Amino acid sequence: ASLRENRAKYESMKWAGLPPIEKNFYKESARTASMSQEEVELWRKENNNITCDDLKEDEKRCIPNPVCKFEDVFEHYPDIMANIRKVGFQKPTPIQSQAWPIILQGIDLIGIAQTGTGKTLAYLMPGFIHLTSQPISKDQRGGPGMLVLAPTRELALQVEAECSKYAYKGIKSICVYGGGDRKGQIDMVTKGVDIVIATPGRLNDLQMNNFINLKSITYLVLDEADRMLDMGFEPQIMKILIDVRPDRQTVMTSATWPDGVRRLAKSYLKNPMIVYVGTLDLAAVSTVQQKVIVIPEEEKRAFMHSFIKSMKPNDKVIIFVGKKLTADDLASDFGIQGIPVQSLHGNREQCDREQALDDFKKGKVRILVATDLASRGLDVHDITHVFNFDFPRNIEEYVHRVGRTGRAGRSGEAVTLVTSNDWRFASELADILERANQVIPDELIAMAERYKQSQMRKENEKDIQRPWRKPSK
Ligand code: ADP
Ligand code: MG
């Protein structure tokens, strides 16, 4: 009991003297306020089926109406409106339309929506407003006010680029990531920045060495949260959160939301609302045509080469492989044939990784061979094809890979090679194809059936070996 008392005392001391946080900046426009219940429901339905829920346990709060136009949320923020006009966006994406009024009220949010539907700006815009509307000034704050955690360096860099593109009022952001220039990052961080976008590992490093003050953070984002949590970043995130004040606002986003993560997410958020666009079942983007080819392992290479030969001059493809070695192997294969490619995987030097992505973005190469390092979040708008040379290690990753094409309303094509080794995924893959109205190859259905039979056989054998076990159905 005395330990507990001490702990509570220590906790309250640790957070004593911090300035109050202002969180609610939402002024509902007259038009949004005047929407009838039917109009709200229709809008949600027509915008890819937006569903919302309040996860607060006791009494449920009212879910705000979605905003149909940028002016409905940002009319009091001319700088934001100017930025939006500059890039020429027509209207908020579904996730933005529902997430903005929630986040701007200071409510924690879990935002789930298809890849390529503008989740980054869904959390960045309210973040900018939050930052610039605090009762104390930036200089009094003594450190960054907003932190975005992302699972890969490339994604962190991309978020940072989006951030500097739209930020205003001299908001400074920095990307802190492993492999990057550590000293430069330390200099920047200590000079005073407003937004830190980081991979958990490098941030831990700066935090442990007292190069960064995290107590000033009042707005926290976990982008691609499920990936970070289920790929083992949890201990690092926990360490980071020890130094982030508990009364902050927290936003989590992702395109998939597996069960295991739902449970974990609870400990990071306070009374959040959840918004999901589409369904919470795995759903691949509807703008991508998905082809699945069941093929023997030894024929995969030949098939891939004939696929590459059939590419048109403006096509751009990511070839996903399972192992770093395979990536190198395929890349050098192409090199020997005089086909320019780049490769992206965790064993390459950071500067090579950045160069690879840059070459691919700018179209210096039209083929990128990559591991799942590239499956999440990356926004290269003109990728026309995703070629899954190896099937990913879980079905969520399949959805994310497919989402690298068909972005922001364009169309794309995904080709996936499936061998008998991948049979455990056959049934889930068939479900995804069915939901997206795609052709399901007969071989895939047969494979799913064989897997089911074999699982049942295994169960039965277990029962025979351990007859005291209750028979399974
Ligand atoms: P996600 O994180 O959901 O996968 P991103 O945030 O990377 O998607 O956004 C994908 C692309 O859509 C980006 O290039 C972004 O600039 C663009 N975008 C964001 N908001 C809008 C909008 N309201 N209208 C059109 N394009 C948008
Ligand atoms: Mg994203």
Side-chain angles (χ1 to χ4, degrees):
S2 99
L3 265 177
R4 208 173 298 136
E5 204 171 288
N6 269 336
R7 201 187 138 81
K9 230 191 252 162
Y10 170 76
E11 273 291 309
S12 67
M13 252 162 54
K14 183 171 171 188
W15 306 114
L18 286 175
I21 310 180
E22 193 77 60
K23 286 188 189 167
N24 187 351
F25 313 101
Y26 189 53
K27 296 186 200 83
E28 195 176 46
S29 76
R31 202 158 44 95
T32 309
S34 72
M35 286 170 90
S36 67
Q37 199 51 42
E38 291 79 57
E39 277 177 277
V40 169
E41 269 157 31
L42 189 68
W43 170 272
R44 289 190 179 137
K45 196 151 185 246
E46 285 179 346
N47 277 271
N48 293 352
N49 208 7
I50 303 172
T51 331
C52 318
D53 195 9
D54 185 2
L55 300 184
K56 189 166 187 248
E57 252 137 45
D58 28 32
E59 74 209 90
K60 302 279 179 205
R61 295 157 296 187
C62 190
I63 312 261
N65 291 350
V67 293
C68 309
K69 294 193 167 169
F70 292 116
E71 289 81 357
D72 290 332
V73 248
F74 301 128
E75 62 174 336
H76 306 289
Y77 304 94
D79 300 300
I80 292 193
M81 280 313 299
N83 273 338
I84 289 172
R85 289 215 182 84
K86 208 163 61 192
V87 290
F89 291 160
Q90 300 292 315
K91 60 174 190 142
T93 64
I95 183 75
Q96 291 166 353
S97 83
Q98 188 62 70
W100 280 334
I102 294 176
I103 303 179
L104 278 171
Q105 284 187 44
I107 297 171
D108 282 5
L109 177 79
I110 301 171
I112 315 294
Q114 281 186 352
T115 54
T117 57
K119 291 191 288 294
T120 319
L121 291 181
Y123 64 74
L124 280 183
M125 297 293 195
F128 296 153
I129 295 175
H130 174 105
L131 269 184
T132 50
S133 312
Q134 288 307 308
I136 58 159
S137 76
K138 289 203 284 196
D139 316 318
Q140 290 169 291
R141 206 176 46 207
M146 169 169 164
L147 172 64
V148 180
L149 292 174
T152 67
R153 301 163 184 183
E154 280 71 19
L155 187 57
L157 282 166
Q158 178 183 300
V159 171
E160 206 273 325
E162 191 98 331
C163 196
S164 2
K165 189 162 156 199
Y166 294 96
Y168 58 95
K169 289 192 175 162
I171 296 178
K172 271 189 274 173
S173 55
I174 183 197
C175 188
V176 164
Y177 57 101
D181 167 15
R182 183 168 181 270
K183 176 145 187 324
Q185 292 172 6
I186 291 171
D187 285 350
M188 278 284 289
V189 168
T190 44
K191 257 191 218 129
V193 288
D194 307 295
I195 304 179
V196 172
I197 297 142
T199 52
R202 175 57 64 93
L203 190 67
N204 262 171
D205 163 26
L206 300 195
Q207 175 193 18
M208 302 304 254
N209 291 297
N210 283 324
F211 286 121
I212 188 164
N213 172 18
L214 298 175
K215 278 194 185 150
S216 52
I217 286 160
T218 52
Y219 187 88
L220 172 74
V221 180
L222 296 138
D223 199 352
E224 300 288 351
D226 64 331
R227 169 83 178 258
M228 286 200 286
L229 296 182
D230 83 7
M231 302 289 288
F233 279 127
E234 218 207 336
Q236 280 136 320
I237 298 177
M238 291 297 247
K239 257 192 243 160
I240 291 167
L241 290 189
I242 289 176
D243 287 337
V244 181
R245 53 195 286 183
D247 56 347
R248 64 176 186 263
Q249 183 173 5
T250 309
V251 177
M252 284 192 174
T253 65
S254 183
T256 46
W257 204 236
D259 278 338
V261 173
R262 273 176 230 192
R263 194 177 33 78
L264 277 175
K266 274 198 195 145
S267 57
Y268 297 96
L269 301 140
K270 270 217 184 86
N271 295 327
M273 289 189 180
I274 179 165
V275 171
Y276 40 93
V277 179
T279 70
L280 261 192
D281 294 334
L282 284 174
V285 272
S286 53
T287 48
V288 180
Q289 192 194 353
Q290 302 170 62
K291 286 186 189 156
V292 169
I293 288 126
V294 178
I295 194 173
E297 185 69 40
E298 57 281 5
E299 288 173 24
K300 276 161 62 169
R301 266 181 203 237
F303 188 93
M304 178 191 67
H305 282 293
S306 67
F307 169 83
I308 295 295
K309 275 209 195 93
S310 73
M311 276 172 66
K312 298 191 190 71
N314 283 329
D315 284 355
K316 215 181 225 190
V317 58
I318 297 198
I319 300 175
F320 279 108
V321 297
K323 296 194 175 111
K324 300 165 191 167
L325 263 179
T326 319
D328 282 338
D329 198 23
L330 293 190
S332 71
D333 235 31
F334 282 119
I336 290 167
Q337 298 179 36
I339 302 171
V341 298
Q342 266 289 12
S343 68
L344 189 62
H345 61 71
N347 274 2
R348 297 199 70 189
E349 293 287 330
Q350 184 57 27
C351 56
D352 296 331
R353 280 165 60 168
E354 281 165 41
Q355 185 68 50
L357 196 57
D358 197 55
D359 286 354
F360 186 57
K361 274 191 176 158
K362 296 205 172 114
K364 278 191 199 155
V365 300
R366 308 206 72 84
I367 302 170
L368 180 71
V369 186
T371 59
D372 274 317
L373 188 66
S375 71
R376 294 287 182 125
L378 289 187
D379 181 39
V380 179
H381 61 93
D382 59 348
I383 295 175
T384 54
H385 293 80
V386 165
F387 189 97
N388 291 314
F389 182 82
D390 294 321
F391 199 82
R393 68 185 165 275
N394 62 49
I395 199 79
E396 275 85 18
E397 237 43 45
Y398 170 81
V399 174
H400 286 277
R401 285 178 177 189
V402 166
R404 290 315 98 215
T405 179
R407 297 184 70 73
R410 290 161 192 253
S411 58
E413 191 180 313
V415 177
T416 302
L417 306 188
V418 172
T419 71
S420 50
N421 285 333
D422 307 315
W423 66 336
R424 66 183 183 283
F425 301 115
S427 136
E428 284 172 304
L429 181 58
D431 286 347
I432 288 179
L433 294 178
E434 186 178 357
R435 272 201 296 271
N437 292 324
Q438 306 286 318
V439 179
I440 310 172
D442 293 340
E443 294 104 303
L444 192 70
I445 298 172
M447 200 186 252
E449 192 51 39
R450 277 202 303 279
Y451 181 67
K452 202 168 121 198
Q453 297 294 340
S454 99
Q455 289 303 92
M456 271 162 40
R457 252 197 323 274
K458 261 195 210 150
E459 279 296 309
N460 285 340
E461 275 160 23
K462 269 191 214 149
D463 287 342
I464 292 164
Q465 280 161 13
R466 289 177 285 169
W468 60 89
R469 235 181 72 145
K470 255 178 62 194
S472 56
K473 45 174 166 43

